[in-house]
Structures are given as structure tokens and as C-alpha cells.
């Protein structure tokens, strides 16, 4: 049966989508061109704060002659508990004061036409990631934890950034918008694909989405423990993510199962925007941090407990170190669940 977004190849031909996928992969390894950091001036109005209470921020490379915009949602994992988020708040993934003022990015955000022939002359935007919940945190009141104050406001940052682009950078005259994102930013692109479309300027005629590596496994580890799912469920409740994700996914679930909308696979069937799915069949991070992860004690400052399943420390990071029994198990788990 047809699914939302199945018409995307009628709007962009296959070669264009392949170019997007290749450039997204290239972006992680090649640097070209500077993007300037801009702290959100409307942060107080929207309550758009990073984990530590500093204003949300955005990197922008403005091309005055263009009405086409490429928006990337930055990735960087998640913070699974309050202590984890407190540790993150002291880094560039939790505080805009820790971010570098000029970010050098390549691939699909490169301004070099030899590297990025399709999008080099577009306006380039990188939503700085500092909420630890894929731009979905939505807790109104600051959270007091062990003498510190934390802000779970990623969804507010998302809203405020779109408005700031309109008022300060000419986004109000945009005609074409491509939304991309990698890792935690890729997950954010799935969760927010349709919502972002509803808050774009009326001038936008074409809008498409191309997440990279946003499908993370809702799957037990090699011992049958639901480590990663439990982490994401706690994150969901801690950051009140229910108001910051695809509401059609929320409506399809019972109250006790709504947290599952933290996974891209649960959102995909409800996405109406044209979307290109790009996800590796084998993923080292997921092998380490989902399939061979172990639970952490409460209030641990560590960000996950990857590659800790007994006997799997070597195999999870390098297939050459796997036993004959581990190789097919690892490959089967990753391929079936993806």
C-alpha cells in the first residue's frame, strides 16, 4: 500500500536524492567553509534555553542572492538521566557558551561547488544541539537537581530558531527548504518533519526531508536486556517529549506506549512530507551502545555503558575480534532490526 512520502521521486528525481545521501555521508569527514554562531535573541520570549540555561543558538551561512535554504539538525547522542544531563550541561552539547563561534562543515553544508554542486549556493543553517533530547524536550519549569538547575527546552529551541531565522536572516522569503540531520539530529528530523512544515513561512513552495542515520533500534541487547529502550523511555518522561514529537504517532498509542514515539520507525508511517531515508545496514554505535550495552546504576555520570556485555567488548567494536558464534548473531540482529 502507498505510504506517506511515496511520491517523493516524482518531485525530485533519483539522482538528486542520491546526491543528497552521498553529501550527507561526506559531511561527517570533510570540512569546508565557516558558519557563524548566533545566540537566539528571542530565547527569553520562547524559553528557548540549553541544558544550562544559556540561550539556544544557531549557525548560519547567509547567501543573500538565494531564497533556498538547507537546514541541518545537529546530532550528538542523548543524556539519559538527570546526572548525565548535568554533565552534558558543561559541554558544547549543553551550553551555548561552550560552542565554538565558527563551525567548519563540509559535505552538504560545503560552499565549495566541487564538493557540493547541488547545494553550495543555498543558505546553510545548523541548529545547534544543546538539549540532549533531539530537540524535543518540553518541560516548562526549570528542573532542580543536586543544587543545579537544568532546562529541558529543545522543542522551544526548535520553534524559536525558525522564528529567529525569519526575523533576522531573511528566511521569511524562503522558497525552497531541505531539512537534514544526522544521528540524534536524524531522529529529530523524523520526529519533527511535518511539524516544521507547519511553521515555515508562507513563501515556501518546496519542502523535503532527508535524515541520515535516524533509525535507532528498539531492541534488547545480546543478553535480552532492554537497556537502550529503557534509557530512551526515561529520557522521554524526564524531558516531557510527548508534546514535542509527531502528534499522529502519539494519537496512535495508548498512554503507556506513547514513549515509543521516540523511535523513528514509529514516526515514519505518519510522515506526510516527502522524505528520503538513508541509514546504514551496519552501525558501529548501535552495535556498541544498543546490542552490547549494559545498564548503569542510578545517577551515574556516564553517558551509557557501551560495549559492556560480558564477552562482547572486542566484538562490538571490531568484527575481526568476534568469535565464530558472535559474527552471525551480530549481523543478524542488526539486519533484522533495521
Amino acid at each position: 500500500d502507498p505510504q506517506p512520502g511515496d511520491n517523493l521521486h516524482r518531485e525530485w528525481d533519483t539522482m538528486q536524492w542520491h546526491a543528497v545521501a552521498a553529501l550527507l555521508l561526506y559531511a561527517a569527514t570533510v570540512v569546508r567553509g565557516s558558519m557563524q554562531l548566533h545566540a537566539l535573541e528571542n530565547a527569553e520570549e520562547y524559553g528557548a534555553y540549553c541544558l544550562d540555561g544559556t540561550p539556544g543558538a544557531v549557525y548560519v551561512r547567509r547567501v543573500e542572492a538565494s531564497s533556498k535554504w538547507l537546514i541541518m539538525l545537529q546530532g550528538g547522542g542523548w543524556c539519559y538521566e538527570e546526572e548525565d544531563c548535568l554533565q552534558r550541561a558543561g559541554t558544547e552539547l549543553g551550553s551555548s557558551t561552550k560552542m565554538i563561534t565558527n563551525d567548519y562543515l563540509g559535505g552538504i553544508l560545503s560552499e565549495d561547488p566541487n564538493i557540493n554542486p547541488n547545494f553550495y549556493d543555498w543558505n546553510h543553517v545548523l541548529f545547534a544541539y544543546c538539549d540532549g533530547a533531539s530537540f524535543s524536550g518540553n518541560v516548562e519549569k526549570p528542573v532542580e537537581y543536586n543544587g543545579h538547575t537544568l532546562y529541558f527546552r529543545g522543542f522551544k529551541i526548535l520553534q524559536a530558531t525558525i522564528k529567529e531565522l525569519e526575523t533576522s536572516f531573511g528566511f521569511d522569503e524562503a522558497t525552497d527548504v531541505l531539512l537534514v540531520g544526522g544521528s540524534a539530529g536524524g531522529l529529530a528530523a523524523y520526529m519533527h518533519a511535518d511539524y516544521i512544515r507547519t511553521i515555515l513561512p508562507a513563501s515556501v513552495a518546496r519542502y523535503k526531508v532527508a535524515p541520515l542515520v535516524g533509525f535507532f533500534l528498539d531492541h534488547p541487547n545480546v543478553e535480552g536486556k532492554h537497556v537502550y529502550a529503557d534509557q530512551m523511555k526515561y529520557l522521554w518522561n524526564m524531558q516531557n517529549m510527548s508534546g514535542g514529537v509527531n502528534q499522529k504517532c502519539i494519537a496512535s498509542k495508548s498512554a503507556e506506549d506513547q514513549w515509543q514515539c521516540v523511535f523513528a520507525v514509529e514516526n515514519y508511517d505518519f510522515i506526510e512530507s516527502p522524505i528520503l531515508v538513508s541509514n546504514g545496514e551496519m552501525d558501529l554505535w548501535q552495535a556498541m551502545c544498543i546490542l552490547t550495552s549494559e545498564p548503569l546504576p542510578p545517577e551515574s555520570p556516564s553517558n551509557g555503558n557501551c560495549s559492556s556485555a560480558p564477552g562482547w567488548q572486542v566484538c562490538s567494536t571490531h568484527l575481526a575480534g568476534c568469535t565464530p558464534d558472535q559474527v552471525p548473531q551480530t549481523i543478524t540482529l542488526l539486519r533484522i532490526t533495521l
Side-chain angles (χ1 to χ4, degrees):
D1 294 333
Q3 297 293 325
D6 280 353
N7 65 336
L8 61 115
H9 288 292
R10 291 197 291 271
E11 300 186 47
W12 275 16
D13 63 42
T14 303
M15 289 299 294
Q16 285 177 300
W17 281 117
H18 286 176
V20 171
L23 286 165
L24 281 167
L25 291 168
Y26 201 43
T29 58
V30 180
V31 293
R32 293 287 191 279
S34 174
M35 298 181 70
Q36 302 296 314
L37 180 68
H38 173 84
L40 298 179
E41 296 178 359
N42 61 2
E44 183 175 0
E45 176 187 354
Y46 279 83
Y49 300 119
C50 298
L51 287 170
D52 71 337
T54 54
V58 60
Y59 289 93
V60 180
R61 182 190 298 122
R62 182 76 170 95
V63 179
E64 297 289 344
S66 177
S67 63
K68 298 180 179 181
W69 292 73
L70 192 151
I71 295 175
M72 175 172 277
L73 303 178
Q74 185 182 22
W78 308 271
C79 53
Y80 302 116
E81 295 184 355
E82 288 85 353
E83 183 65 34
D84 190 6
C85 291
L86 178 60
Q87 299 302 315
R88 190 183 184 99
T91 74
E92 70 278 5
L93 289 172
S95 173
S96 57
T97 61
K98 303 293 184 180
M99 298 173 186
I100 58 175
T101 56
N102 297 294
D103 203 0
Y104 292 83
L105 295 170
I108 203 167
L109 291 177
S110 173
E111 57 186 345
D112 186 339
N114 295 311
I115 293 173
N116 187 18
N118 294 299
F119 305 103
Y120 76 95
D121 57 352
W122 287 39
N123 294 281
H124 294 162
V125 177
L126 177 69
F127 281 36
Y129 181 37
C130 64
D131 78 298
S134 290
F135 298 93
S136 300
N138 198 26
V139 178
E140 287 295 329
K141 294 182 179 181
V143 174
E144 300 300 325
Y145 174 76
N146 282 354
H148 299 273
T149 303
L150 294 171
Y151 293 80
F152 299 143
R153 305 282 183 81
F155 190 55
K156 301 294 187 183
I157 292 173
L158 188 79
Q159 296 171 317
T161 304
I162 292 289
K163 181 55 67 174
E164 188 103 335
L165 291 173
E166 291 184 22
T167 58
S168 300
F169 294 97
F171 188 58
D172 57 319
E173 297 181 353
T175 58
D176 297 69
V177 175
L178 175 62
L179 177 70
V180 302
S183 190
L187 174 59
Y190 283 106
M191 293 194 293
H192 301 307
D194 287 345
Y195 174 74
I196 288 176
R197 184 182 61 182
T198 68
I199 60 174
L200 291 175
S203 57
V204 175
R206 290 205 309 168
Y207 170 67
K208 304 181 190 303
V209 186
L212 174 66
V213 193
F215 272 83
F216 293 90
L217 309 179
D218 179 8
H219 198 280
N221 71 359
V222 291
E223 298 177 304
K225 302 174 184 177
H226 291 268
V227 179
Y228 180 67
D230 288 346
Q231 290 171 328
M232 296 302 280
K233 183 176 183 179
Y234 190 93
L235 170 68
W236 173 274
N237 292 319
M238 175 180 68
Q239 294 230 21
N240 189 34
M241 294 171 66
S242 60
V245 302
N246 192 308
Q247 292 303 295
K248 290 184 178 179
C249 181
I250 293 293
S252 73
K253 304 287 186 183
S254 66
E256 62 182 16
D257 290 334
Q258 288 179 356
W259 71 272
Q260 295 170 359
C261 293
V262 76
F263 294 106
V265 68
E266 300 292 342
N267 287 269
Y268 179 75
D269 284 346
F270 301 102
I271 296 173
E272 297 179 359
S273 304
I275 187 167
L276 169 69
V277 175
S278 179
N279 217 96
E281 186 176 35
M282 302 295 290
D283 187 319
L284 177 62
W285 186 90
Q286 299 198 55
M288 296 168 56
C289 301
I290 298 180
L291 297 183
T292 61
S293 184
E294 287 286 300
L296 282 168
E299 299 189 358
S300 170
S302 298
N303 181 239
N305 194 16
C306 303
S307 302
S308 296
W312 286 82
Q313 289 85 351
V314 177
C315 177
S316 65
T317 59
H318 200 283
L319 281 176
C322 297
T323 67
D325 291 336
Q326 288 175 326
V327 172
Q329 185 177 359
T330 301
I331 294 174
T332 300
L333 282 172
L334 285 171
R335 286 182 173 172
I336 288 176
T337 50
L338 283 175

